[in-house]
Amino acid sequence: MRKYGLFIGGEWTETGRGARFPAVNPFTAEPWAELAEAGQGDVDAAVAAAVAAQPAWAATNGATRAAILNRIADVIVENAQQMAVYESTDNGKVIRETGSQMLFAARLFRFYAGYADKLYGSTIPLDSPTIFDYTLREPYGVVALITAWNSPITLLCNKLPAALAAGNTIVVKPSEHASVSTLEFCKLLTEGGLPPGVVNVVTGAAETGAALVRHPDIAKVSFTGSPGVGRKIASMAGEMLKPVTLELGGKSPNIVFDDADPEAATIGALAGIFGATGQTCVAGSRLLVQRGLYNEITERLATRAQAIRLGDPLDPASEMGTVANQPQFDRIIASIESAKSDGARLVTGGGAAKGAHLGKGLFIEPTIFADARNDMAVAQTEIFGPVLTILPFEEEEEAVRIANDIPFGLASGIWTRDISRAMRLVPRMKSGVVWVNTYRMVAAQAPFGGTKESGFGRERGEAGIMEFTTTKNVMIDYSSEARDPFAIKN
Ligand code: NAD
């Protein structure tokens, strides 16, 4: 059994201190690590450490910050395989995905290292010729990063290197359902040369997160999680007039037109819903298929879904691992049962997956419902599991209407070989991300985030670092004129 304390001021708190909770391996159903539940005093200590470290970190020149971020990237690459083992053991995601996610985390560190010495302001010509006006991009100070359990290191690294490059110091709170990889990540930060106190990690559940959001020295909150908790965080932050970035859930439409390449669209649909066992915010969980390809795509998907290799998340041959935790498993099974009773046609799957090689693991069969209506819960609610809903449509207008008729707005996919159609539809998709003839693709350079109940703010790309800076405007009057104190000067 691994034992973890909290990571505060570059030190680990004693593992015997305070309340503890287990990390449960969703493949073996056994506890495999013991974690500390941070109380108010621990949150205060973590924030105080970040406050103490912030001026020196912000004053460290950009080139030095960049060098540290690049060294951390090297250390991540060196430890990628072991980190992937921690994460897959903790949340049941297959190692072929967590392995590539660790390398992407390193890529994000390198990408934002490149910004650390290039956070330029502007010089702005004003009406008045003797005023020199310029802007500075400054860090907020101490920021709180709160993440979900489905991809702890990816979600953290969508935020952390950008926040660091901009000169902020950090307190992180990972999900209580998958904290180990984030705690292990602290060791890599230290090895990479990050000064003590610049990043601090507190573990625990809702109360720990709320204590962090409400802390008066937290200047900004960046949150990844469910819309329900996102609302609570926005309200708490709103009370204190703190800025927040919210990366929330989705129920994304993936639209296949009759003129699409059926094989490519099938693979895109599979990646969209069964990649990461469907536990991804961008899951293409609503597949809209035009009538001409409807039966063919449904049959192709059923055949492919039945062939997916479920297995030990640590086995490189496994294609789908477990669901990450028992509450999530129970929610997915309940959603499947309600879809059946609502009258969606079950094409394949439909329950827990069993087998000698699956042991006590929280496996769910790749599940497809077809002939659904858009007003059914299975077409409207984020299930966050391997459950696909296929909806037929006749015409382009109908596809746009169904695609946007959802409270979420994270991602959409369009499969067509008609470039005019693609160009026509991209502006009409009410989502922060649109993929054309691809799905679930990410890049360090490309901004990511949602609209509507999927949240606001962006991560990755240049937009991602701007979320962690604030603009200061400076006016210098170099005339020697006396001015009228009772009239505004412009
Ligand atoms: P969740 O909202 O239950 O928890 C997320 C985090 O918030 C956890 O660390 C949790 O402990 C913390 N938390 C819970 N209550 C809190 C409170 N009152 N105050 C402060 N913190 C609190 O989400 P989850 O179940 O961990 O993750 C699944 C959700 O995350 C899905 O909706 C999924 O779509 C979303 N998600 C979004 C993205 C994205 O980038 N848009 C990425 C991954 C996951």
Side-chain angles (χ1 to χ4, degrees), residues 146-150 155 158 173-177 204-206 209-210 213 223-227 229-230 232-233 236 247-250 280-281 331 382 384 410 448 454 459:
I146 301 178
T147 54
W149 43 259
N150 59 320
L155 303 182
N158 284 341
K173 199 210 75 69
S175 167
E176 64 276 26
H177 296 295
V213 173
F223 170 77
T224 301
S226 61
V229 175
K232 288 185 193 164
I233 287 182
M236 286 186 273
E247 292 288 352
L248 308 179
T280 158
C281 53
R331 270 193 295 270
E382 183 185 41
F384 216 56
L410 193 52
F448 173 84
S454 296
E459 296 190 327

Side-chain angles (χ1 to χ4, degrees), residues 196-393:
V198 172
V199 173
N200 307 273
V201 177
V202 289
T203 46
E207 298 87 83
T208 309
L212 192 54
V213 173
R214 287 204 210 96
H215 197 292
D217 289 337
I218 292 292
K220 150 127 201 178
V221 179
S222 179
F223 170 77
T224 301
S226 61
V229 175
R231 265 192 197 91
K232 288 185 193 164
I233 287 182
S235 318
M236 286 186 273
E239 281 294 317
M240 300 177 80
L241 298 175
K242 280 183 195 183
V244 285
T245 298
L246 297 179
E247 292 288 352
L248 308 179
K251 184 81 180 177
S252 298
N254 199 2
I255 312 171
V256 182
F257 287 95
D258 281 348
D259 61 14
D261 172 347
E263 175 61 7
T266 302
I267 291 172
L270 277 173
I273 189 62
F274 299 127
T277 319
Q279 299 170 117
T280 158
C281 53
V282 293
S285 45
R286 302 158 78 224
L287 188 70
L288 279 55
V289 188
Q290 200 164 13
R291 275 288 176 202
L293 274 185
Y294 187 77
N295 289 338
E296 180 182 344
I297 292 281
T298 304
E299 281 161 27
R300 277 172 178 262
L301 276 170
T303 308
R304 300 293 268 272
Q306 285 154 12
I308 291 174
R309 276 197 300 272
L310 273 62
D312 182 349
L314 296 183
D315 180 350
S318 297
E319 294 173 328
M320 246 178 69
T322 65
V323 166
N325 52 69
Q326 189 70 49
Q328 185 58 14
F329 179 89
D330 296 342
R331 270 193 295 270
I332 297 169
I333 294 291
S335 297
I336 291 173
E337 291 310 315
S338 94
K340 288 178 190 165
S341 55
D342 285 353
R345 176 168 65 88
L346 181 64
V347 177
T348 188
K354 307 253 184 250
H357 67 300
L358 303 181
K360 293 187 196 154
L362 300 174
F363 288 95
I364 293 191
E365 295 172 311
T367 296
I368 299 178
F369 286 99
D371 309 342
R373 286 191 328 269
N374 196 43
D375 60 359
M376 290 176 173
V378 73
Q380 290 286 313
T381 315
E382 183 185 41
I383 297 174
F384 216 56
V387 182
L388 179 67
T389 305
I390 311 184
L391 302 112
F393 70 90

Side-chain angles (χ1 to χ4, degrees), residues 65-77:
R65 283 206 300 271
I68 293 172
L69 295 187
N70 275 317
R71 267 206 308 276
I72 293 170
D74 293 342
V75 176
I76 297 172
V77 172

Side-chain angles (χ1 to χ4, degrees), residues 432-453:
V433 176
V434 181
W435 285 296
V436 178
N437 294 333
T438 185
Y439 203 89
R440 200 161 176 257
M441 178 158 192
V442 296
Q445 302 90 334
F448 173 84
T451 59
K452 302 199 277 184
E453 290 187 17

Side-chain angles (χ1 to χ4, degrees), residues 23-24 59 85 91 119 124 168 189 195 250 279 284-285 294 297 308 324 341-342 392 424 431 454:
V24 179
V85 170
N91 74 358
L119 281 170
I124 304 176
N168 299 280
L189 297 174
Q279 299 170 117
S285 45
Y294 187 77
I297 292 281
I308 291 174
S341 55
D342 285 353
R424 195 163 60 233
S431 60
S454 296

